[in-house]
Each structure stands twice: as structure tokens, then as C-alpha cells.
Amino acid sequence: MYTLEKRKMIYIISRKPTWFHTHCLTPGKKLPLWYDPTWVIGECDLCAMSIRNQDWWNNCSYNQSQRKFYDIIEKELKVWI
Ligand SMILES: [Zn+2]
């Protein structure tokens, strides 16, 4: 489990968002097989999904999206420079 503080730290250090991956598909042309939900940093190694695609799968509004958290951090970081 990643707390918001931990996710923020990882993002500041690596610029990679940590997000909850609920729609991981097997790659290639095999039969689609959903993996168990898991935490991903950056892009998923298995299906190459990004946080934006995950938000799309979740069919959520921007305010409920996982991406929003990192957009806010991004704004904070710009203020410091
Ligand atoms: Zn995946």
C-alpha cells in the first residue's frame, strides 16, 4: 500500500506516478486475461498501460482521476523553481 505521502515522494524523485492498476491485460494476441489489481510506478511492465489509460478505464471524471494528484504536485514544483 502506498500512502499519498509516499506516492508524492516517489514522484518528486523519479517523476513517475504511482497508481492503482485495476485493468491489467495480458499482452499480445493471446486470450485476454485480467491480472489482479496491483500498484504500478510509471508504466505497467506487462501491458504498458499509463496512469492516463487507467483513468480512462475507470471511466472517472478528472476530479476523481488518479492523474489529478500528480498534476497538483507538478504545479507545486513549478512554484518552487
Ligand atoms: Zn498492466
Side-chain angles (χ1 to χ4, degrees), residues 21 23-35 44-49:
H21 192 12
H23 293 77
C24 191
L25 271 169
T26 46
K29 289 171 182 152
K30 294 177 213 156
L31 271 177
L33 192 132
W34 300 99
Y35 288 109
C44 178
D45 290 336
L46 293 169
C47 69
M49 195 187 285

Side-chain angles (χ1 to χ4, degrees), residues 3-75:
T3 62
L4 286 176
E5 276 303 306
K6 197 169 176 186
R7 281 184 255 170
K8 188 172 179 174
M9 283 264 290
I10 293 168
Y11 188 75
I12 289 168
I13 294 162
S14 70
R15 288 301 170 100
K16 287 179 180 171
T18 308
W19 46 283
F20 197 57
H21 192 12
T22 55
H23 293 77
C24 191
L25 271 169
T26 46
K29 289 171 182 152
K30 294 177 213 156
L31 271 177
L33 192 132
W34 300 99
Y35 288 109
D36 287 338
T38 183
W39 287 95
V40 168
I41 299 172
E43 281 191 355
C44 178
D45 290 336
L46 293 169
C47 69
M49 195 187 285
S50 68
I51 189 171
R52 287 178 197 281
N53 286 333
Q54 179 63 72
D55 285 337
W56 183 84
W57 276 104
N58 289 341
N59 197 22
C60 55
S61 70
Y62 179 70
N63 278 333
Q64 295 168 314
S65 72
Q66 300 194 72
R67 180 70 222 171
K68 188 186 177 194
F69 177 62
Y70 298 102
D71 285 345
I72 292 166
I73 297 170
E74 199 64 48
K75 278 186 198 134

